[in-house]
Amino acid sequence: MNTLYSLRLLGAFFFSSFIAAAACFAAWEKGQQLPDLADFDLQGEIPELEGKVSYVDFWASWCAPCKASFPEMERLYQENKDAGFQVIAVSVDSSEKAMQRFLDRAGPSFSVVWDHKQSLVADAEVEVMPTSFLVDAKGVIRAVHYGWRGEETAKKLESEIADLLREVER
């Protein structure tokens, strides 16, 4: 009976781990067309996506990894904007004041929109902050990033952005 109990307990653990891991992923997936952001009543200017490589980043002012990602997003944007790369940072803050306080300190030059109704983040089913989607010039999601791991994430993004920009050049 102890063996049977142990096997059941082990099975329950693996099943619950699988369910928990599955819940960490967003509904938008690699290979899908990015939905039209204009359909989600976002506040702020949404740049034209067609023909550009876009990095759509969901963030919040209360999220430490999100804050840490902003300087690198700015660097990547500055280094690649002339080649057709853009960043669209989507704030999921419930308070416009908290969002603005962070933006005043961070001073990003890339596009920032506020998902004040939480409609876009709900559509994407984002559960990890930050979650980002790298979108090619045709509007197809080519990479999804969950969380921010500093230099590791930045280097991976550099490579992915360069690859997508080369595709645009062809």
Side-chain angles (χ1 to χ4, degrees), residues 71-86:
E72 284 300 311
M73 287 193 304
E74 182 66 30
R75 180 185 66 79
L76 291 167
Y77 172 66
Q78 290 299 328
E79 289 175 1
N80 296 288
K81 68 181 180 180
D82 293 337
F85 174 71
Q86 64 187 355

Side-chain angles (χ1 to χ4, degrees), residues 7-138:
L7 287 174
R8 283 185 180 163
L9 188 61
L10 189 60
F13 171 77
F14 283 115
F15 179 74
S16 63
S17 295
F18 173 77
I19 296 300
C24 289
F25 297 101
W28 296 354
E29 297 177 355
K30 187 175 173 180
Q32 279 185 313
Q33 191 74 25
L34 184 74
D36 185 351
L37 300 181
D39 292 343
F40 293 92
D41 194 27
L42 302 171
Q43 288 191 355
E45 189 175 327
I46 302 168
E48 179 61 45
L49 297 172
E50 190 175 332
K52 294 199 174 198
V53 173
S54 302
Y55 184 66
V56 180
D57 179 70
F58 288 88
W59 68 280
S61 63
W62 46 260
C63 165
C66 300
K67 292 177 187 180
S69 71
F70 262 69
E72 284 300 311
M73 287 193 304
E74 182 66 30
R75 180 185 66 79
L76 291 167
Y77 172 66
Q78 290 299 328
E79 289 175 1
N80 296 288
K81 68 181 180 180
D82 293 337
F85 174 71
Q86 64 187 355
V87 174
I88 304 161
V90 181
S91 171
V92 300
D93 278 298
S94 57
S95 163
E96 184 177 18
K97 187 182 251 182
M99 174 192 72
Q100 196 57 55
R101 230 184 348 253
F102 170 73
L103 292 173
D104 289 345
R105 284 191 303 265
S109 61
F110 49 78
S111 297
V112 177
V113 295
W114 182 36
D115 188 12
H116 63 108
K117 292 184 179 177
Q118 307 287 304
S119 57
L120 187 63
V121 73
D123 187 71
E125 294 182 19
V126 169
E127 296 191 17
V128 174
M129 286 291 156
T131 293
S132 303
F133 300 88
L134 190 57
V135 182
D136 69 16
K138 295 177 183 170

Side-chain angles (χ1 to χ4, degrees), residues 136-168:
D136 69 16
K138 295 177 183 170
V140 176
I141 298 169
R142 297 289 292 276
V144 183
H145 294 269
Y146 303 100
W148 182 262
R149 290 168 207 59
E151 191 175 328
E152 175 188 337
T153 304
K155 285 186 184 287
K156 185 169 179 132
L157 275 171
E158 274 183 56
S159 173
E160 292 169 341
I161 292 165
D163 289 345
L164 292 178
L165 288 173
R166 275 192 291 278
E167 286 179 16
V168 174

